Structures are given as structure tokens and as C-alpha cells.
């Protein structure tokens, strides 16, 4: 019989002005997105606290999807990247070193609901427009 695991609240992250829609983790810490149209990067200070490192703004509607790309996975992102998808129909690639959007991928007719970075560095995005789009850099 496996031992019973008990989970306890470790900490809470507060900072968005609207409800949080997505969360992902990476080497840089915890990344959250919200209906307030922003993405926030949080770094661990201690086992019970995180601090806000960056707020990324660029989407015009709420950010529903996030993923983290490890350093070097995307061809022009040696420090890693965040990929976001929004209800504005746009996918954005963010440089984690500069906290700026470096690529804006347009083409979906409706909201983007999921994003993922494939092992070969392609970005896949899914949308309410009933499509999955594959994006290749380079």
C-alpha cells in the first residue's frame, strides 16, 4: 500500500487585477496570465514566498494560454521564452531576458485557447476557430 500524501498550502501569489486564467512553470519561476491582459513572472524567494519579477503587457484581450520554452529550444531564444495565446487571436513569444515580446503570430480568426512548444522548436497553437496552427522560426 502506498503512503498517503497530504498537501498543505505553501503560499499564494497575488498581483493580477482580474481572474487568473493560466499558469506554467520554468527555470525562471512561476508564470501566470489573467483576464487583465497581462502575464506575470514570479521568482521564488523562500519556501513560503514568491516575488513579482516582471509584468508583460501586449495582448489586447485576456491571456488564456501559456507555456515556457527552455533556453535554446526556440532558435532565437538562448535564455528561454514564454509563449502566450489570447482571446485577441494572437500568439506572442516573449524573451525572458528582456521581458519583451519579440514575435507576434497572427492568423487565428478567434481566441487562442492552447499553446505548446514542440521538441523541434515549432510552436503549436489551438483556437476556437477549429484550427491548430504550427509555427516555425528561422
Amino acid at each position: 500500500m502506498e503512503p498517503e500524501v497530504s498537501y498543505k498550502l505553501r503560499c499564494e501569489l497575488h498581483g493580477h487585477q482580474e481572474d487568473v486564467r493560466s499558469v506554467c512553470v520554468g527555470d525562471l519561476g512561476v508564470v501566470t496570465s489573467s483576464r487583465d491582459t497581462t502575464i506575470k513572472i514570479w521568482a521564488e524567494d523562500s519556501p513560503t514566498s514568491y516575488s513579482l519579477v516582471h509584468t508583460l503587457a501586449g495582448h489586447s484581450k485576456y491571456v488564456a494560454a501559456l507555456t515556457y520554452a527552455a533556453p535554446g529550444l526556440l532558435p532565437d531564444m538562448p535564455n528561454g521564452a514564454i509563449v502566450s495565446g489570447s482571446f485577441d487571436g494572437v500568439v506572442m513569444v516573449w524573451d525572458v531576458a528582456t521581458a519583451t515580446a519579440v514575435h507576434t503570430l497572427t492568423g487565428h480568426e478567434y481566441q487562442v485557447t492552447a499553446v505548446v512548444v514542440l521538441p523541434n522548436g515549432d510552436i503549436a497553437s489551438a483556437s476556437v476557430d477549429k484550427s491548430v496552427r504550427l509555427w516555425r522560426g528561422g
Side-chain angles (χ1 to χ4, degrees):
M1 180 176 215
E2 294 186 32
E4 187 175 314
V5 176
S6 176
Y7 288 92
K8 294 179 176 71
L9 180 63
R10 190 174 97 160
C11 66
E12 294 182 29
L13 308 179
H14 294 276
H16 284 289
Q17 300 303 307
E18 299 285 342
D19 54 305
V20 176
R21 305 300 293 184
S22 187
V23 62
C24 70
V25 295
D27 299 338
L28 65 163
V30 175
V31 184
T32 59
S33 70
S34 170
R35 196 180 293 264
D36 66 11
T37 74
T38 68
I39 299 161
K40 295 190 181 289
I41 302 172
W42 307 83
E44 185 175 20
D45 294 325
S46 73
T48 59
S49 73
Y50 280 74
S51 61
L52 179 61
V53 177
H54 294 293
T55 298
L56 312 178
H59 285 288
S60 63
K61 293 188 178 175
Y62 75 82
V63 184
L66 284 176
T67 194
Y68 173 73
L73 184 56
L74 296 177
D76 56 343
M77 298 286 124
N79 298 307
I82 295 166
V83 180
S84 60
S86 170
F87 266 51
D88 58 14
V90 173
V91 174
M92 297 182 87
V93 180
W94 304 83
D95 183 340
V96 297
T98 62
T100 58
V102 292
H103 300 290
T104 301
L105 312 176
T106 60
H108 282 294
E109 295 176 35
Y110 298 110
Q111 356 2 355
V112 176
T113 56
V115 292
V116 65
V117 178
L118 303 175
N120 69 354
D122 286 357
I123 296 170
S125 58
S127 170
V128 175
D129 65 12
K130 303 176 191 168
S131 74
V132 173
R133 292 179 180 242
L134 297 176
W135 311 85
R136 178 162 292 164

